[in-house]
Amino acid sequence: AQSVAQPEDQVNVAEGNPLTVKCTYSVSGNPYLFWYVQYPNRGLQFLLKYITGDNLVKGSYGFEAEFNKSQTSFHLKKPSALVSDSALYFCAVRDGGTYKYIFGTGTRLKVLA
Amino acid sequence: EAGVTQFPSHSVIEKGQTVTLRCDPISGHDNLYWYRRVMGKEIKFLLHFVKESKQDESGMPNNRFLAERTGGTYSTLKVQPAELEDSGVYFCASSLSGSPYNEQFFGPGTRLTVL
């Protein structure tokens, strides 16, 4: 069965430091991976996706993610964190031949001033 | 361009009552999805419409949940009768047709509390 794991419930990082939010996946076949962010009282906003091609995917708000097939990971990264990046981040994988997403449990990112 | 909208934003009902949630997708999006996040856990898929047809309803928890999308525009999700375990945040999403790789755009969610 397809699954996604976000091993950290919360990540704290100082403003200006690089940040990483971890995601690992388990799929049969090619993985199609997504990152979303949820700010307070808002819906999930799409950040980026990996379908095929370059392992480093660039997305919105300066975020990028690195696809690593051998480690089955798709970690979200940003070179320099902002306080405004504080939010809840979800990793998702498309479930095989369907359109539905399987989500991780979410990681709360806290950027400290 | 307006995003996905959901109504109401919050709903508090008693166990045994009925609640209807509404979702308006982005105009032109044939695909519409319902998801649910319960008690801070992962977001789980409920069902997928293509226009007015149910393409995949494998995530619907039981027959107390009824989703409709008459005319292929907005969708409703009715819970009748509501149980305590139905509490959570219900998200609606939509996407363009043509490719399963098109990202889904999510609404702000409806927070349902069943007392």
Side-chain angles (χ1 to χ4, degrees):
Chain A
Q2 326 268 41
S3 65
V4 170
Q6 292 182 246
E8 301 156 319
D9 289 337
Q10 182 158 322
V11 170
N12 295 327
V13 63
E15 187 176 30
N17 282 3
L19 70 87
T20 298
V21 182
K22 295 180 181 177
C23 173
T24 58
Y25 63 89
S26 174
V27 301
S28 53
N30 293 324
Y32 304 111
L33 298 153
F34 304 81
W35 274 103
Y36 284 81
V37 59
Q38 185 181 20
Y39 297 102
N41 301 316
R42 303 282 295 275
L44 281 74
Q45 293 181 32
F46 170 75
L47 280 178
L48 50 80
K49 66 183 176 184
Y50 173 83
I51 304 300
T52 186
D54 288 341
N55 290 342
L56 187 64
V57 179
K58 294 192 183 296
S60 306
Y61 313 121
F63 283 93
E64 56 191 27
E66 186 171 9
F67 171 69
N68 187 316
K69 189 172 183 178
S70 62
Q71 296 187 7
T72 62
S73 66
F74 189 55
H75 300 333
L76 182 70
K77 301 184 179 189
K78 188 173 182 182
S80 178
L82 300 172
V83 172
S84 57
D85 292 330
S86 298
L88 188 56
Y89 291 80
F90 289 95
C91 181
V93 64
R94 191 175 67 88
D95 184 8
T98 75
Y99 279 57
K100 64 186 177 188
Y101 288 0
I102 295 171
F103 282 88
T105 49
T107 298
R108 187 164 298 283
L109 173 68
K110 198 168 186 179
V111 182
L112 307 168
Chain B
E1 178 183 291
V4 177
T5 57
Q6 293 186 244
F7 182 83
S9 57
H10 294 83
S11 181
V12 180
I13 61 173
E14 300 278 339
K15 175 182 170 181
Q17 289 185 321
T18 297
V19 63
T20 300
L21 314 181
R22 173 171 170 143
C23 168
D24 287 78
I26 293 172
S27 178
H29 283 194
D30 288 338
N31 294 294
L32 187 148
Y33 316 82
W34 284 98
Y35 290 84
R36 177 173 72 171
R37 187 175 192 228
V38 174
M39 289 291 289
K41 296 188 177 179
E42 69 270 28
I43 300 168
K44 285 197 171 180
F45 169 83
L46 295 177
L47 88 161
H48 168 210
F49 282 100
V50 178
K51 297 185 180 178
E52 66 275 8
S53 299
K54 290 176 186 173
Q55 183 74 18
D56 181 353
E57 48 185 328
S58 60
M60 294 288 265
N62 52 60
N63 59 9
R64 295 185 293 102
F65 288 75
L66 175 63
E68 295 180 320
R69 192 182 182 196
T70 307
T73 54
Y74 71 91
S75 174
T76 58
L77 179 65
K78 181 191 285 188
V79 185
Q80 179 182 30
E83 298 289 344
L84 298 179
E85 63 265 25
D86 300 333
S87 296
V89 181
Y90 290 77
F91 292 102
C92 176
S94 68
S95 69
L96 286 167
S97 59
S99 170
Y101 312 124
N102 290 329
E103 58 271 22
Q104 297 176 18
F105 294 87
F106 283 76
T110 294
R111 182 174 295 277
L112 174 64
T113 302
V114 183
L115 302 176

